[in-house]
Amino acid sequence: MQRVALLTSGGDAPGMNACIRAVVRKAVYHGLEVIGIKRGFNGFIEADMEPMNLSSVADIVQRGGTILRTARSDQFLTPEGRAKAYENTKRFGIQGLIVIGGDGSFRGARSFYLEHNLPVVGVPATIDNDIPGTNQTIGFDTAVNTAIEAINKIRDTATSHERAFIIEVMGRHSGFIALAAGLAGGAESILIPERPFSYDEICEKLLRGFRRGKLHSIIVVAEGASGGLEVGRKIKESTGIDTKVTILGHLQRGGSPSAADRILASRLGARAVELLMNGATKMMVGVSKGEIAAVNLDDALTQAKTIDVEMYHLANILSL
Ligand code: F6P
């Protein structure tokens, strides 16, 4: 293998830049040439790409977002779009592709390999942490820390006014961010799509807390479990407590990556290059029990990733 390409795809995640840096520098270290594809799979189809070198990735390890930019490509969902991209691999002499993104991006990469036989390696990067085959995805740690910082601030004003706050966090169909931020942020209730919840129980717990002299209440809601506004309306209706709703939204996607995300991104990016050099065809890199591991993309896309039920119960116990 002489020339590899890389792209970032799907929703951006803090640490993507650290991963780009690791891929480029590790590849250059081994004497490979690197092509950076811009705007995700759209740039792959439209030949929006250029060579990268050591200085292309200088001063980015600490930056949020992605210098390659990103997109959710509808065109790449079609065989015609993928065929156009394949033409560009021939034109640019690309022999392997590294895709930094989430499950939607990996599905596209897998189809691309199956149709055109060009080796692909996925690096899991999404704040949602919803990718099987890895304990943690790039961006999750930073997003959770961002959510906790917001919860801490909201707690101050909630206490002053003796209010209940509903904080809606991202995560698409999963509750990983909500569970981690809820536990670390000391939330009374955590609503996630993976577990059923009852408004009666949530309201009872809330009232119990206020009767006991609590000055505030924090409820963290994963966007996939329910809309924060709806939760706030229902709680206010049945308890009469002054309830406010904060939707954290895209601010969870921005910001300088945490040390943990930079380290994870560097390790995963470097291993992705090694995998391509060693003849991988359709793999994903991940982390399991602290070790960097490789799994087949098929497994990463078909297995389910479950939340830590013990952690969910613990959060409940600690917020009695
Ligand atoms: O997958 C990352 C994510 O931020 C989800 O948590 C969220 O549901 C979605 O992307 C939002 O997507 P967009 O930025 O396209 O609105």
Side-chain angles (χ1 to χ4, degrees):
M1 178 137 333
Q2 278 186 324
R3 187 173 292 172
V4 296
L6 84 157
L7 58 83
T8 49
S9 169
D12 62 349
M16 277 183 162
N17 279 329
C19 188
I20 293 170
R21 171 179 178 269
V23 168
V24 172
R25 294 211 163 154
K26 175 80 171 167
V28 169
Y29 173 81
H30 289 290
L32 303 182
E33 293 169 52
V34 189
I35 305 281
I37 301 172
K38 298 180 185 162
R39 299 181 295 111
F41 290 117
N42 284 343
F44 200 18
I45 292 167
E46 293 159 20
D48 189 2
M49 48 182 96
E50 62 186 25
M52 295 184 87
N53 55 36
L54 294 180
S55 20
S56 332
V57 292
D59 198 25
I60 65 167
V61 72
Q62 79 286 10
R63 280 166 56 188
T66 158
I67 58 163
L68 288 175
R69 303 199 293 284
T70 185
R72 302 190 198 277
S73 172
D74 289 336
Q75 271 195 85
F76 203 72
L77 295 175
T78 67
E80 294 75 25
R82 293 192 289 270
K84 278 192 197 159
Y86 180 61
E87 287 310 308
N88 289 329
T89 63
K90 290 193 281 183
R91 188 171 142 207
F92 286 83
I94 295 166
Q95 294 160 314
L97 175 68
I98 293 176
V99 174
I100 305 167
D103 57 346
S105 313
F106 294 167
R107 249 176 267 286
R110 181 177 174 276
S111 302
F112 184 70
Y113 168 76
L114 293 176
E115 287 163 1
H116 301 291
N117 222 25
L118 191 106
V120 293
V121 174
V123 184
T126 162
I127 62 164
D128 301 339
N129 198 28
D130 58 349
I131 302 184
T134 185
N135 291 343
Q136 197 132 324
T137 56
I138 297 167
F140 173 67
D141 183 70
T142 307
V144 170
N145 279 300
T146 301
I148 287 167
E149 209 178 301
I151 292 172
N152 291 344
K153 289 180 177 164
I154 286 169
R155 197 184 268 277
D156 291 344
T157 173
T159 306
S160 308
H161 288 266
E162 298 173 50
R163 280 172 170 159
F165 262 86
I166 317 300
I167 301 166
E168 182 190 304
V169 298
M170 277 187 167
R172 205 182 283 275
H173 306 298
S174 71
F176 291 98
I177 297 178
L179 180 53
L183 176 60
E188 267 72 55
S189 296
I190 302 170
L191 279 55
I192 54 175
E194 293 88 346
R195 307 296 294 179
F197 58 87
S198 125
Y199 279 106
D200 286 347
E201 275 173 29
I202 296 167
C203 292
E204 173 46 34
K205 197 170 187 183
L206 201 64
L207 289 168
R208 214 170 47 227
F210 277 103
R211 278 198 297 268
R212 207 176 73 218
K214 281 194 75 167
L215 294 178
H216 65 254
S217 189
I218 302 286
I219 296 173
V220 174
V221 182
E223 63 176 347
S226 180
L229 290 168
E230 186 180 329
V231 175
R233 188 178 48 77
K234 287 195 171 157
I235 291 179
K236 192 170 190 170
E237 263 170 27
S238 47
T239 63
I241 292 173
D242 190 9
T243 306
K244 298 284 176 187
V245 179
T246 302
I247 298 172
L248 296 186
H250 285 81
L251 73 84
Q252 293 159 98
R253 288 239 299 260
S256 179
S258 64
D261 271 330
R262 296 182 201 189
I263 292 166
L264 180 66
S266 304
R267 294 176 80 195
L268 293 182
R271 181 60 64 86
V273 173
E274 278 170 16
L275 283 174
L276 277 183
M277 287 171 55
N278 294 336
T281 52
K282 57 170 167 37
M283 300 294 281
M284 185 193 88
V285 286
V287 62
S288 173
K289 296 180 187 135
E291 299 289 321
I292 302 301
V295 293
N296 196 298
L297 259 188
D298 297 343
D299 297 332
L301 290 171
T302 50
Q303 288 168 3
K305 184 162 177 179
T306 52
I307 59 135
D308 186 335
V309 180
E310 230 173 84
M311 187 163 142
Y312 178 77
H313 289 313
L314 177 65
N316 252 323
I317 292 170
L318 300 186
S319 63
L320 268 181

